Amino acid sequence: MEMKHRSFLNGLPGVEIWVFVHFGSFCILPSPYGISKVLELLQWVADIGVKSVCLYDPEGVLKKNKEPIMQRFSSANLSEEAAVNGRLVTRRNLTLEFVSFEDGKEAVAKAANYLFVKHYANGTKEKSDFTEPQMAEALGAIGSGGADPDLLLIYGPTRCHLGFPAWRLRYTEIVHMGPLKSMSYGSLVKAIFKYTMVHQNYETTDALVAVPSCGQKFETSFHPPPFGIKENYHVIHLHFHLFTLFGEFNLMKNGS
Amino acid sequence: MTKKIGDQAGKMFEYFGSFLRKGIFSVLSVGPVPDHIAFIMDGNRRYAKKRNLLDGAGHRCGYLALMNMLKYCYELGVKYVTIYAFSIDNFRRRPEEVQSTMQLILEKIEDLIKEESMVNQYGVRIYFLGSLKLLSKPVRLAAERAMVATSGNSKSVLSICLAYTSSDEILHAVQECCEEKWDEGSALESKGAGNGLVFLKGNKNGKTKPSIVVKDLEKHMYAAVTPDPDIIIRTSGETRLSNFLLWQSANCLLYAPAILWPEIGLWHLVWAVLDFQRNFSYLKEKTKLS
């Protein structure tokens, strides 16, 4: 079963999914129990084939206690992309990032100061308005940059993002997974699978877009129906997704 | 005669419905009632497709659903309601669709400020939040008229996010803070105090003291006119916030029922409030910590 799920994402060429695992209630769990659950979850996520994981807890407990996590993923190296405050760690194909509440609003305030010094420091005021790329650059310069996550999994008692950096949450799918102590591999796989079926409506309409490149989502004209419903075009559409997601799954099943 | 009987029956049904709602809201009010609910009204176009309606009809049905939800919220005692009417991203839709939506928005703003409208019935003050300069002149002027016309109302608040995204709101706040600090520094410079130059060039140790803090940014947010939301409800089962109130939703319950926006009703609101009440102590504790 694990072998099949490891190839879960290999059928999607060029797709790199970032999963932000957000622990709303991490701080209330006894530390050793909490860390072992985090390690187990990261192992599942790595087995599925996710490339990058960000761990968020508002109080920054994980950030302060990241050594057990780094020890477990023992070939971890601090990459050149590591932020100023050492948040980013790369281990083979898994990039780990540790984020806390101070990387949210406080970081935007620091970025505002950075922009002020950069654009007003010469004693003359620049006329043009700030742009989103400038803001992203400022956040990167102060060590709080990074890509927007595709998927935010909330392990906690309620569906609430608890101050996750606002700038990075714009189009992120936010899924509530329940308490950390009752996490399951099946629900993790299901959440990632459901994410791949998402489409966004704000662009133009009804073209079925082919397999996405890195960082993009599937865009479709229909919501795929639940299994068992047979409408002609929906069935064809669903089979398309099944083929790309479980292509290797079927091959392995036939070959085994 | 038949019409008269029909009208009377309609009124009786309305009174009965209102009586029933009062009873439900009395029970709900035993627990904590959210002060501020925000809505992402998703699913109008899918509703129109589902019901084989003409283009634009889904949004009109959505408007009726909105009026009902506002009525329920204000009857329950929710003082602040915010709605995501039109995102800056929505300008990327087909021009005909944008034009039709803007026309509908203009028409409904004019309806809202009429004497007999629900807005005056419930004493609602209207704010339009967003980069209004992106709107066409008629819509922008109508929005400004609505804000002036309702400025005397004080019982409740309706914030309509138009040409809005959170990233634009944050950028705007950063820009305003920089301008404010520049003006303060220039004023001090002109008085000969020199503090502005000290800020710009650094203090004696060569370090620049941070001048802009989180409170300054929050003062300049479009949504500074209301407290942070307690619940954000997004219909259609979509799980993302689509650049809506990201700064303000840190300790907010995110509720995503699967129904399309025109299908939303009283029971969905009741369910959202019950969910809020169930998680109230946890969210309150998190708000205190932050």
Side-chain angles (χ1 to χ4, degrees), chain A residues 116 130 162 171 173 201 223, chain B residues 45-46 89 175 199 239 250:
Chain A
F116 181 84
F130 295 139
L162 293 180
Y171 305 104
E173 302 296 327
N201 280 329
H223 273 299
Chain B
R45 292 186 298 171
R46 273 170 276 174
D89 295 327
Q175 186 83 51
F199 168 75
T239 58

Side-chain angles (χ1 to χ4, degrees), chain A residues 2 45 96 106 176 228 233:
Chain A
E2 272 198 16
V45 162
L96 288 174
E106 295 288 345
H176 182 216
Y233 55 77

Side-chain angles (χ1 to χ4, degrees), chain B residues 2 26 53 60 82 86 89 93 132 139 167 173 185 211-214 234-235 240 254-255 281:
Chain B
T2 315
S26 303
L53 302 174
R60 290 182 185 275
T82 300
F86 197 84
D89 295 327
R93 291 184 177 175
L132 302 186
V139 178
S167 40
S211 175
I212 299 172
V213 293
V214 171
R234 178 173 186 156
T235 48
R240 57 192 176 272
L254 308 175
Y255 185 68
S281 50

Side-chain angles (χ1 to χ4, degrees), chain A residues 24-25 27-28 58-59 101 104-106 108-113 115-117 120-132 135 154 156-164 166-175 198-206 217 221-223, chain B residues 42 45-46 49 89-90 92-94 97 133 165-168 170-171 174-175 177-179 181-183 199-201 208-214 217-218 228 236 238-256 278-279 282-283 285-286 289-290:
Chain A
S25 64
C27 296
I28 66 174
E59 286 82 15
F101 189 80
K105 293 182 179 181
E106 295 288 345
V108 172
K110 286 180 192 168
N113 285 297
L115 287 169
F116 181 84
V117 169
Y120 293 76
N122 295 328
T124 54
K125 188 171 73 167
E126 292 187 13
K127 296 288 180 191
S128 56
D129 292 343
F130 295 139
T131 61
E132 289 191 20
M135 186 68 192
I154 299 178
T158 191
R159 189 163 176 262
C160 172
H161 67 76
L162 293 180
F164 190 86
W167 193 259
R168 299 172 71 178
L169 206 50
R170 290 169 283 187
Y171 305 104
T172 303
E173 302 296 327
I174 302 170
V175 178
V198 158
H199 75 281
Q200 296 204 359
N201 280 329
Y202 58 80
E203 300 203 5
T204 52
T205 53
D206 297 327
K217 296 186 176 141
S221 57
F222 310 108
H223 273 299
Chain B
D42 195 13
R45 292 186 298 171
R46 273 170 276 174
K49 249 185 204 166
D89 295 327
N90 292 149
R92 284 189 261 171
R93 291 184 177 175
R94 286 173 297 146
E97 190 179 336
K133 63 184 185 229
T165 56
S166 261
S167 40
D168 181 67
I170 292 170
L171 263 181
V174 167
Q175 186 83 51
C177 284
C178 290
E179 296 283 324
K181 293 303 165 191
W182 170 262
D183 291 341
F199 168 75
L200 293 172
K201 291 178 183 175
T208 313
K209 193 175 70 173
S211 175
I212 299 172
V213 293
V214 171
L217 290 169
E218 290 186 332
D228 291 347
S236 306
E238 303 290 349
T239 58
R240 57 192 176 272
L241 289 173
S242 293
N243 224 335
F244 178 60
L245 297 182
L246 302 177
W247 183 275
Q248 295 82 1
S249 56
N251 299 303
C252 167
L253 175 68
L254 308 175
Y255 185 68
R278 198 164 52 85
N279 292 291
Y282 173 79
L283 292 170
E285 184 198 322
K286 289 298 172 188
L289 287 173
S290 62

Side-chain angles (χ1 to χ4, degrees), chain B residues 154-196:
Chain B
S154 57
K155 280 189 194 167
S156 322
V157 172
L158 172 62
S159 303
I160 303 175
C161 291
L162 211 50
Y164 171 94
T165 56
S166 261
S167 40
D168 181 67
E169 181 183 28
I170 292 170
L171 263 181
H172 166 83
V174 167
Q175 186 83 51
E176 290 291 305
C177 284
C178 290
E179 296 283 324
E180 192 179 62
K181 293 303 165 191
W182 170 262
D183 291 341
E184 280 172 12
S186 301
L188 287 169
E189 277 291 304
S190 63
K191 285 179 188 169
N195 285 345

